[in-house]
Amino acid sequence: MKYTIAFLTFLLINVHMNSQNMNEPLPYHEIPEASTKYTAGTVVARMVDGLGFRYYWASDGLRPEDLRFKPSVDARTTEETIDHILGLSTVILNSALHKVNEGNDFSELSFTEKRKLTLENLKTAAEIFRKAEDLNQFTVVFKGSKGTSEYPLWNQINGPVADAIWHCGQVVSFRRSSGNPFNSKASMFMGKLRE
């Protein structure tokens, strides 16, 4: 009986803590305040921030029918596109953390968890890049069955960052097609909601 009460107490505390974490505001409702100075690090961080803001609003309020939507038989669904953006955000974060990309399995995560993780990945990466003085230290490293390959940060910009922005546009297009347009008050130019 004593162990049962202890286990139930642990379970309740864990559920309460997880529900609090899920209720925390997500990053990129608004784009962060711009840096007062231009450096290579602040510019890269701002690019990632712009991606985070676009993703936040592209994915905000997606319904199950939106996630299942795909424009043609050969296309990805919106949820498969969301999964791809999560993978790209992981590559961006791993570069900032100097970690090797070895593949990830996010299949057990809910859409809400995937969205939160993507936004947190981007925020963490942007914060690291913003403080960086030497961007040469940030490479993109992939490890696969044929060995390891390493690329400079340039490839991060024209690869995962630009690709994720591209796919955010697809999510916006797909959700319009499934009858759930994104919030038209979200100003990509200003990085916040219009009044």
Side-chain angles (χ1 to χ4, degrees):
M1 181 71 170
K2 181 172 139 181
Y3 293 110
T4 304
I5 291 172
F7 175 74
L8 290 174
T9 303
F10 169 78
L11 189 63
L12 286 172
I13 290 170
N14 197 16
V15 167
H16 177 70
M17 289 176 66
N18 284 336
S19 69
Q20 282 183 324
N21 289 341
M22 290 304 286
N23 292 330
E24 290 176 11
L26 295 174
Y28 293 119
H29 178 266
E30 289 190 351
I31 203 165
E33 193 69 34
S35 179
T36 57
K37 61 182 180 173
Y38 289 91
T39 66
T42 61
V43 170
V44 170
R46 188 65 168 193
M47 292 177 70
V48 175
D49 289 336
L51 165 57
F53 182 74
R54 280 167 173 73
Y55 180 78
Y56 180 98
W57 290 106
S59 61
D60 182 56
L62 289 175
R63 309 166 302 183
E65 57 266 35
D66 301 318
L67 294 170
R68 289 189 301 269
F69 177 82
K70 62 180 181 175
S72 69
V73 176
D74 296 329
R76 287 180 176 148
T77 64
T78 300
E79 186 158 22
E80 289 168 334
T81 305
I82 292 289
D83 292 348
H84 182 55
I85 296 170
L86 172 55
L88 293 168
S89 77
T90 303
V91 173
I92 294 166
L93 176 61
N94 284 346
S95 174
L97 296 173
H98 308 287
K99 288 179 68 177
V100 175
N101 294 285
E102 298 187 64
N104 298 291
D105 181 11
F106 302 115
S107 60
E108 298 298 317
L109 299 180
S110 69
F111 163 68
T112 302
E113 292 167 326
K114 291 174 192 175
R115 182 171 186 256
K116 181 177 190 270
L117 182 56
T118 301
L119 291 166
E120 289 173 346
N121 285 351
L122 296 174
K123 180 177 186 264
T124 301
E127 288 171 352
I128 293 168
F129 290 135
R130 198 175 336 276
K131 296 173 187 168
E133 294 184 23
D134 177 18
L135 293 182
N136 286 315
Q137 66 178 308
F138 300 108
T139 59
V140 184
V141 183
F142 296 101
K143 183 177 181 183
S145 60
K146 295 182 180 179
T148 301
S149 53
E150 186 170 352
Y151 303 91
L153 187 69
W154 295 119
N155 294 75
Q156 179 82 278
I157 295 168
N158 62 270
V161 173
D163 194 28
I165 293 169
W166 173 288
H167 290 301
C168 284
Q170 287 180 314
V171 172
V172 170
S173 177
F174 289 6
R175 69 181 295 163
R176 283 183 184 138
S177 297
S178 61
N180 183 17
F182 89 115
N183 189 338
S184 62
K185 290 186 177 184
S187 169
M188 298 303 126
F189 184 73
M190 297 304 294
K192 61 182 179 180
L193 288 182
R194 294 182 193 94
E195 297 294 322

